[in-house]
Amino acid sequence: MSVPELNEQEIIRRNSLQELRNMGIDPYPAAEYVTNAFSTEIKEAFQDGEEPRNVSVAGRMMSRRIMGKASFMELQDSKGRIQVYVTRDDICPDENKDLYNRVFKKLLDLGDFIGIEGFVFRTQTGEISIHAQKLTVLAKSLKPLPIVKYKDGVAYDSFEDPELRYRQRYVDLVVNDGIKETFLKRAKIVKTLRSVLDDAGYTEVETPMLQYIPGGASARPFITHFNALDTDMYMRIATELYLKRLIVGGFEGVYEIGKNFRNEGMDRTHNPEFTCMELYVQYKDYNWMMSFTEKLLEKICIEVNGCTESVIDGKTISFKAPYRRLPILEAIKEKTGYDLEGMSEEEMREVAKKCGVEVDNTMGKGKLIDEIFGETCEGTFIQPTFITDYPVEMSPLTKMHRSKPGLTERFELMVNGKELANAYSELNDPIDQEERFKEQMILADKGDDEAMIIDQDFLRALQYGMPPTSGIGIGIDRLVMFMTGQTTIQEVLLFPQMKPEKKAVKEEEENAESEQE
């Protein structure tokens, strides 16, 4: 791999780095730098007329205005920014003024990490600032940050290209306002979720990511090779079957927040590597789970946004319980006018064609209903809506509906036109479960590469007896999108999956050439 050539700015910064070393200043000191305050807290706590407060802060230098023997700079720490007033005689009380004249004015660059000790005051223009009495170099930045500059109302050097922002998230977080806040909210969402489940008495567990059988969902898996065992294995597509084993083992309720992997497409709402929370609780059904879910989401929204509403792409979405509950066949009838109940597979295929839905001969009833709903209905449910009572062909792990033949006790929660959660009254009849798995294998033989594989150990676990149980999976990435008002999943993933950089550049060049032709 060739080493990229340095540009002029990078060369200047490396020369400054060497000059610092020549002066006996370590540009990357190992010793701890003790801070006692953050920018935001300093501003919030400041009171005019009080004794000046001594503080020690650290962060990046984001701007600098040099005015002879005195200067102003802006320091950005992990919480925000604060102005710092730097004078030559304060930070250089002895005869040697090199720390100000050479280091601060010439050898330090925007983006460098520095430590400041001093006292807090308010400037004549009213800005709360730190009067520096000591300056310490903490880390030299060798690449210039794309800090936005304005001239005649025009912004220059903005860092807005999504391709660059997602690849270089470290730069995005430094220079673009609001990016870090999204991920701080993500942390709060997960923390609140975990707190609610813990308070309910449920146990957080961990299950294998490498599995012999990709079970618990209908999805195409990633395949890898386990050298020590000389066998192919799968990255998990769901945690469901392992968590149910724990219910068999006697846990009241178990949940896991972790990564799943599905070797499928990438778009604005899908990432092949995604975070999911799955919860299983004994002696509950899907009706209980609907009530639990809407209360959970209402609490999360209040914790994150201070109210029960979130605004997404100009639409105000209310997470206040309760949510509408609508059977899937009724939803299709409501949106398309076609009543699929009692239809044969061929009749459903004809309806799909009339609705402009692409179908093929590998699709059974369940797949056809799924495609029709996905293409004609799903995107229309903006407010949280529980779509319930899915056909058995779509739900191989779900208990049969207690009063509606051919249907199961399952719901999917739709928000802003997308699925957020999937839940069941879990199938705990081992004989029925084995037959469902066999039906899935028939679909696989017909060409359905998302059909489930029989998990004999899971069947064995069920044969020991699993109590009535309800389970749910909630997509954390989409939940964060909905709670923070983001419209693309890449905005809520710190490091979304992307094409390798070389491949992306090559495709860009090829596209540019084809456009010229």
Side-chain angles (χ1 to χ4, degrees), residues 186 209 220 222 235-237 258-267 269-276 476-478 489-490 492-498:
R186 180 184 178 116
M209 286 193 182
R220 184 184 302 146
F222 284 92
M235 301 295 288
R236 72 180 179 200
I237 57 176
K259 293 287 189 181
N260 290 339
F261 306 86
R262 299 184 182 178
N263 198 358
E264 298 166 348
M266 296 189 297
D267 58 31
T269 58
H270 293 86
N271 197 62
E273 173 188 354
F274 63 97
T275 304
C276 187
I476 298 299
D477 305 324
R478 284 194 183 172
I489 198 168
Q490 289 80 12
V492 301
L493 300 172
L494 280 167
F495 301 103
Q497 296 293 335
M498 301 186 73

Side-chain angles (χ1 to χ4, degrees), residues 214-343:
S218 298
R220 184 184 302 146
F222 284 92
I223 304 173
T224 187
H225 190 75
F226 198 148
N227 289 333
L229 300 177
D230 192 24
T231 185
D232 284 343
M233 297 192 77
Y234 301 91
M235 301 295 288
R236 72 180 179 200
I237 57 176
T239 57
E240 177 168 346
L241 301 189
Y242 279 95
L243 293 175
K244 286 182 182 177
R245 286 170 168 93
L246 298 179
I247 296 295
V248 171
F251 280 88
E252 175 197 358
V254 290
Y255 74 93
E256 182 168 5
I257 301 172
K259 293 287 189 181
N260 290 339
F261 306 86
R262 299 184 182 178
N263 198 358
E264 298 166 348
M266 296 189 297
D267 58 31
R268 292 167 64 88
T269 58
H270 293 86
N271 197 62
E273 173 188 354
F274 63 97
T275 304
C276 187
M277 186 286 296
E278 288 199 42
L279 165 72
Y280 295 84
V281 185
Q282 63 181 5
Y283 308 124
K284 306 297 183 186
D285 66 4
Y286 80 140
N287 291 311
W288 176 89
M289 189 61 81
M290 278 188 265
S291 298
F292 182 85
T293 301
E294 59 196 9
K295 291 171 187 172
L296 170 67
L297 297 181
E298 181 179 343
K299 181 172 178 59
I300 289 173
C301 193
I302 291 171
E303 287 293 321
V304 174
N305 296 321
C307 63
T308 58
E309 294 180 343
S310 181
V311 178
I312 306 172
D313 201 21
K315 294 168 286 190
T316 299
I317 295 178
S318 173
F319 285 96
K320 185 173 179 57
Y323 307 155
R324 186 187 184 195
R325 304 182 183 192
L326 181 66
I328 188 170
L329 296 182
E330 287 185 26
I332 292 173
K333 184 179 178 181
E334 181 181 287
K335 300 296 180 181
T336 69
Y338 292 103
D339 187 353
L340 303 187
E341 190 168 357
M343 280 191 182

